[in-house]
Amino acid sequence: MSVSGTLAPWMISTRIALEFSCFCFCLCLKTPRLFVITICLKMAIKLTRKMFVNTCFISFGSTRFLVGLNSNHDTRFFLGKIFGGFEGSGFISRPRFFCRATCVERLSWEGSSHEVLLSKLENALKDLKLDEAWETFNDFKRLYGFPSHLLVSRFITQLSYSTTPHWLLKACDLVMMVLKEKSNHLQPDMLTKLVLSLARAQMPIPLSMILRLMLEKGILPPMNVLHLLFLHMVKTEVGTCIASNLLIEICDYYMRVCSGKSHRANLLKPDTMIFNLVLDSCVRFASSLKGQQIIELMSQTGVVADAHSIVIIAQIHELNGQRDELKKFKDHVATLPVAFVSHYQQYLECLLNLHFKFDDIEAAAELLLGMNRSWESRPMKDSGKDYQKPCFVPIGSQNLRNGLKIQVMLEHQQNDSALNAEGKSDLVFCRDKKLFPSNRALSKLINGYKRHGKINELSKFLLGLKKELDSSGQSSLLSDVIDACISLGWMEVAHDILDDMESSGDPLGSSAYEALLTAYYKRNMFREGDVLLKQSRKAGFVMEVANNSVICKNVAANVGRSSLCIKEASSICQPTLSECLVQEVSDSEKAISPITYELNSSIYFFTKAKMMGDALNIYRRMQKMKIQPTEQTFMYLVCGYSSLEMYRDITILWGDMKRIMESRTLTVSSDSYEFLLLNFLRGGYFERVMEVIGYMNKCNMYIDKCMCKNEYLKFHKNLYRSLKASKARTEVQGKRLEHVQAFKKWAAIN
């Protein structure tokens, strides 16, 4: 008996192949027909699954017949054709079974299906036929388990080179299959190629799964690859959430396992660029609380902050309202040479904005007047100072015995950094290595002084600033201030500034008097107008009033305004001072009360010192004063309780948060929800866990399920593993079991 056929790509089950061979062997030995029929029936019953087998011609004696099995022929059809052609000791060939297929490949039935499937898988990979390779691999695995680790690695690598998300997900599925049975098949290089492809395809969720798998094995991609992974992840908000969680887990693993004593530990330690990438994304997506956590991790892991880091850290402190933390860098920044003025402009912007939020107008004025003085006294490069030596800046109180300190190298900048840390400047702009306040900053200062009734202090500030601006050319600053005050109807303020300028011996030009006189007469304030008219004549300006308009006869109309300042006002300091002042007055009515920032700063101080009693007293004081707590208020308290593992107290705070959220006066970010979720998981409060998950789902927030699953397995791996709801001893235990089961179902924990 001989077997030959035309074979395109085919698939066949080993069991059926063996039984079919046995059937042919029986025919050759002229076995009684009943036995042959029995084997055929047994074989046919097992053909319920789809198979792809090419047509084969079987010669028996002088007779040739065709057996064709494929996905379009079911078992009944096969049996009908086999037994319909059975006569005597052989089969009667039927012409309609034959086909005119071109011979592609000839195989012998003596060959093992193990080798056949391996050969087909290798050919499919060679020809980049991923669909065929995937089907063949599944057939082989079902029959023989996994092929050699080299072939598995080759298959995963081939899938990783695909740009299609479908095949990249298949690669992840294959990795997880191999992990369960043949984890030694997973080589670092292969996994590195996969995570890089996932990062480029903007698939951060499966990427985090594979990267966490590598971390469990104590391996990570090379640092240059990690840079690329985080660079791609932080492009989106979900990717930023995952990247920050991964960075936290990497640092935790580094501190917990490696302790920084071995060469291997250094390979697992993230560098400054990775921290900068994640911190910058926290700023872009307003993830300030997560950013604060990562700043503290820089200190704990001993990663040195560079010039980019300082600017980003300043932005995070600004978002969190932590002025005291930001002020700690001021003395260090002030020692830098003038070449760094433009880089640290953003730092000064953040500090200035916090001065305004705290309503500390004097500090804001001092900063604006003095921000050029320290740099003007230093050369472009001070060779006598070692800037490459890191200095230490404390986090929290400087008096804490076990407080954290972050290492900073203020002059060090990475030339290949992909960051644009400067950001947007609304309050300070730089020109010719000098810093100047914008119209927005001046409007905040004017409004603050006016609100406090300190116009005399405002005049002193304007005089000092005028001297700074005069060194760069004539300035129209004071005239612009007068115009802005007039536009808001602040006639008294404008008149007081004019008086203060006269008293200082530096009176304003005629345009200021002319503008204020015109405003007085238009508003029928004739008494005040007459007083100002006399003042202007004493100052040497001859003015006439006709039809509520004022004409100055002995001074040119553009006195006090140089072409330089007109250009500056129109190009850099947009919008105008008047427009900025109108906007500032409107915004200040909606702003958070400065006392809230003060009280939050006190709570932050006490929580860092683990003095939770004092922190809670300030919180109760806020409630008595009917001051609305902010998200930072609650998160500082939660962080304090979490550091002491006081999870029950966090549940009480959660109740307060829910009451305020119901009144729609508190907005909670995904950072806060996630931190609450982790703390409730650690404390075993699964009802609260499911509540937080419900709130996040309601707000369409991303939840890192893989992180939650790992946290559960870390703290509660064997919780209620064999207990059923029917065997719960109490009603409380039964309800808790329900919540645990609900969480395990949500997190896909078997």
Side-chain angles (χ1 to χ4, degrees):
M1 171 174 165
S2 64
V3 180
S4 63
T6 58
L7 296 173
W10 56 275
M11 300 179 63
I12 183 167
S13 169
T14 302
R15 294 179 184 174
I16 297 173
L18 290 173
E19 291 176 359
F20 191 78
S21 299
C22 180
F23 167 67
C24 295
F25 180 74
C26 292
L27 288 176
C28 293
L29 296 178
K30 298 185 178 180
T31 309
R33 186 164 60 180
L34 181 61
F35 178 67
V36 175
I37 294 173
T38 303
I39 295 178
C40 288
L41 282 170
K42 185 177 179 182
M43 179 185 70
I45 291 171
K46 293 187 176 182
L47 283 173
T48 55
R49 183 173 61 88
K50 284 186 178 182
M51 301 178 302
F52 297 89
V53 179
N54 283 63
T55 56
C56 297
F57 297 93
I58 302 176
S59 298
F60 179 66
S62 60
T63 306
R64 298 183 79 241
F65 63 94
L66 179 70
V67 178
L69 302 178
N70 54 48
S71 59
N72 297 321
H73 293 72
D74 59 15
T75 305
R76 289 174 297 176
F77 180 83
F78 174 75
L79 289 173
K81 297 307 176 186
I82 291 293
F83 293 107
F86 206 149
E87 283 189 6
S89 61
F91 284 66
I92 296 178
S93 173
R94 303 196 177 211
R96 65 174 176 270
F97 292 123
F98 291 90
C99 68
R100 297 180 180 178
T102 303
C103 182
V104 178
E105 181 181 357
R106 302 180 66 86
L107 292 179
S108 173
W109 282 109
E110 285 81 6
S112 169
S113 62
H114 181 279
E115 284 75 18
V116 170
L117 288 171
L118 279 180
S119 176
K120 184 176 182 184
L121 178 57
E122 290 176 353
N123 290 334
L125 292 177
K126 183 179 179 180
D127 297 336
L128 303 180
K129 297 178 180 179
L130 296 180
D131 287 291
E132 183 178 335
W134 184 258
E135 294 296 333
T136 307
F137 175 84
N138 283 333
D139 266 355
F140 186 94
K141 180 180 176 298
R142 191 179 300 110
L143 296 170
Y144 304 107
F146 286 98
S148 66
H149 74 278
L150 292 176
L151 192 56
V152 170
S153 298
R154 181 182 169 192
F155 190 21
I156 295 175
T157 302
Q158 196 71 57
L159 292 171
S160 301
Y161 286 147
S162 173
T163 58
T164 308
H166 169 76
W167 290 118
L168 291 175
L169 288 175
K170 289 287 187 183
C172 294
D173 293 340
L174 183 53
V175 167
M176 301 313 293
M177 285 194 297
V178 174
L179 176 66
K180 293 179 181 179
E181 301 180 32
K182 299 282 185 179
S183 60
N184 58 318
H185 283 13
L186 299 176
Q187 301 300 319
D189 291 344
M190 172 190 66
L191 296 176
T192 298
K193 293 174 184 175
L194 177 56
V195 293
L196 193 54
S197 296
L198 291 168
R200 288 169 175 163
Q202 284 298 302
M203 301 172 68
I205 298 175
L207 185 156
S208 68
M209 179 180 66
I210 303 300
L211 205 57
R212 282 170 170 137
L213 170 62
M214 297 179 70
L215 189 60
E216 287 178 8
K217 292 178 169 291
I219 56 175
L220 280 178
M223 197 56 62
N224 60 336
V225 176
L226 272 180
H227 291 166
L228 291 174
L229 296 181
F230 280 92
L231 180 63
H232 285 292
M233 278 193 288
V234 299
K235 292 178 180 179
T236 63
E237 188 171 1
V238 171
T240 294
C241 176
I242 293 174
S244 57
N245 289 338
L246 283 172
L247 180 56
I248 291 170
E249 291 174 30
I250 292 171
C251 292
D252 180 66
Y253 184 88
Y254 168 75
M255 294 184 292
R256 176 169 45 86
V257 178
C258 300
S259 303
K261 296 180 181 179
S262 65
H263 173 70
R264 178 169 167 268
N266 294 329
L267 297 177
L268 293 173
K269 181 180 177 180
D271 64 2
T272 304
M273 181 176 288
I274 292 178
F275 274 96
N276 286 349
L277 286 169
V278 177
L279 287 172
D280 180 67
S281 67
C282 288
V283 172
R284 284 187 286 111
F285 295 107
S287 186
S288 59
L289 295 171
K290 187 68 68 67
Q292 177 67 32
Q293 187 178 0
I294 292 172
I295 292 172
E296 295 176 5
L297 279 176
M298 288 189 78
S299 169
Q300 293 168 350
T301 55
V303 175
V304 180
D306 62 7
H308 289 298
S309 308
I310 303 305
V311 173
I312 304 170
I313 289 171
Q315 293 171 318
I316 290 174
H317 285 321
E318 180 192 1
L319 290 171
N320 287 327
Q322 296 170 339
R323 183 173 67 152
D324 292 338
E325 296 298 307
L326 202 51
K327 288 164 67 175
K328 296 172 186 176
F329 293 92
K330 184 180 178 183
D331 292 338
H332 298 287
V333 172
T335 63
L336 292 172
V338 69
F340 289 87
V341 168
S342 59
H343 179 79
Y344 284 102
Q345 166 192 342
Q346 186 65 42
Y347 165 79
L348 295 173
E349 169 108 5
C350 296
L351 181 57
L352 181 60
N353 194 32
L354 284 179
H355 284 327
F356 287 129
K357 286 183 177 180
F358 279 75
D359 200 24
D360 193 348
I361 304 302
E362 288 76 12
E366 181 183 353
L367 179 63
L368 285 173
L369 290 176
M371 57 187 176
N372 289 314
R373 292 172 186 169
S374 59
W375 280 312
E376 285 176 349
S377 62
R378 297 182 181 277
M380 289 292 291
K381 184 74 175 179
D382 189 354
S383 58
K385 187 174 179 62
D386 185 9
Y387 293 104
Q388 297 300 321
K389 184 178 180 180
C391 55
F392 291 86
V393 177
I395 298 175
S397 173
Q398 303 182 31
N399 301 320
L400 294 178
R401 182 180 301 176
N402 298 321
L404 298 175
K405 292 185 178 181
I406 187 170
Q407 300 181 63
V408 297
M409 293 180 65
L410 298 169
E411 194 181 12
H412 180 65
Q413 292 177 292
Q414 300 183 41
N415 295 328
D416 57 347
S417 176
L419 296 173
N420 181 19
E422 279 70 20
K424 182 181 179 181
S425 296
D426 286 334
L427 304 178
V428 179
F429 67 91
C430 181
R431 169 173 285 187
D432 300 328
K433 297 296 181 182
K434 281 193 174 185
L435 298 176
F436 300 99
S438 68
N439 282 337
R440 195 174 299 280
L442 290 176
S443 66
K444 288 179 176 290
L445 204 70
I446 294 168
N447 186 46
Y449 275 126
K450 194 259 182 185
R451 192 171 57 251
H452 289 283
K454 297 181 177 180
I455 307 304
N456 185 47
E457 297 296 323
L458 172 60
S459 299
K460 291 180 181 178
F461 166 79
L462 293 174
L463 276 173
L465 185 59
K466 181 175 179 292
K467 293 177 182 178
E468 292 279 343
L469 298 176
D470 285 344
S471 63
S472 301
Q474 291 184 344
S475 170
S476 62
L477 169 68
L478 295 174
S479 296
D480 291 340
V481 172
I482 296 296
D483 291 342
C485 292
I486 292 172
S487 66
L488 267 76
W490 296 352
M491 308 301 202
E492 186 177 352
V493 174
H495 203 148
D496 288 344
I497 294 173
L498 283 174
D499 291 343
D500 292 335
M501 295 301 109
E502 286 184 11
S503 301
S504 66
D506 191 6
L508 296 182
S510 63
S511 60
Y513 288 92
E514 186 177 338
L516 185 56
L517 272 173
T518 301
Y520 273 143
Y521 288 125
K522 283 185 177 180
R523 290 170 172 78
N524 297 323
M525 300 173 68
F526 301 111
R527 180 180 176 184
E528 292 82 355
D530 291 342
V531 172
L532 182 60
L533 187 59
K534 292 179 181 179
Q535 284 183 239
S536 65
R537 288 171 179 170
K538 287 182 180 179
F541 303 122
V542 179
M543 297 187 179
E544 290 185 0
V545 180
N547 298 324
N548 292 338
S549 62
V550 180
I551 301 174
C552 184
K553 291 188 173 184
N554 63 334
V555 181
N558 63 348
V559 168
R561 295 184 183 271
S562 67
S563 59
L564 171 67
C565 295
I566 293 172
K567 179 181 178 181
E568 180 181 278
S570 61
S571 60
I572 295 180
C573 301
Q574 290 289 346
T576 65
L577 182 58
S578 297
E579 293 170 338
C580 289
L581 191 55
V582 171
Q583 185 64 44
E584 173 59 26
V585 172
S586 175
D587 292 343
S588 62
E589 296 174 356
K590 309 169 188 175
I592 297 174
S593 172
I595 193 172
T596 303
Y597 289 105
E598 294 284 357
L599 294 174
N600 281 349
S601 296
S602 299
I603 291 175
Y604 176 78
F605 171 84
F606 286 124
T607 55
K608 284 299 173 187
K610 301 187 186 302
M611 301 168 63
M612 294 307 300
D614 296 284
L616 194 60
N617 287 336
I618 295 176
Y619 172 62
R620 299 302 180 202
R621 180 183 167 193
M622 292 178 73
Q623 291 178 320
K624 290 180 180 178
M625 296 172 65
K626 296 184 178 180
I627 296 175
Q628 175 68 58
T630 63
E631 182 183 16
Q632 280 73 21
T633 308
F634 288 110
M635 284 304 103
Y636 294 156
L637 291 168
V638 170
C639 289
Y641 283 130
S642 179
S643 65
L644 299 173
E645 298 183 359
M646 300 171 66
Y647 302 115
R648 183 177 178 277
D649 297 88
I650 298 177
T651 63
I652 297 172
L653 282 176
W654 170 239
D656 291 348
M657 291 178 67
K658 286 192 293 183
R659 282 191 291 272
I660 300 176
M661 284 191 293
E662 288 172 0
S663 63
R664 297 183 179 181
T665 55
L666 176 67
T667 301
V668 180
S669 67
S670 59
D671 285 0
S672 298
Y673 279 128
E674 186 180 272
F675 195 58
L676 287 165
L677 180 60
L678 291 176
N679 278 281
F680 290 148
L681 267 175
R682 293 165 187 164
Y685 293 95
F686 288 94
E687 184 177 1
R688 303 290 168 261
V689 168
M690 298 311 296
E691 282 182 1
V692 175
I693 291 174
Y695 274 95
M696 295 185 76
N697 287 334
K698 186 178 180 180
C699 298
N700 294 319
M701 294 178 178
Y702 171 74
I703 309 175
D704 193 343
K705 284 189 179 183
C706 189
M707 178 192 65
C708 296
K709 179 179 179 179
N710 291 342
E711 202 74 11
Y712 174 87
L713 295 175
K714 180 179 177 181
F715 289 93
H716 310 288
K717 185 175 183 179
N718 297 316
L719 181 64
Y720 296 150
R721 202 165 186 177
S722 59
L723 182 64
K724 296 182 179 180
S726 59
K727 294 184 179 181
R729 296 179 181 178
T730 63
E731 183 180 353
V732 174
Q733 188 182 45
K735 287 185 177 180
R736 186 165 187 258
L737 178 58
E738 289 180 10
H739 296 306
V740 172
Q741 291 174 340
F743 172 78
K744 291 174 70 175
K745 181 179 179 181
W746 173 81
I749 300 175
N750 296 325

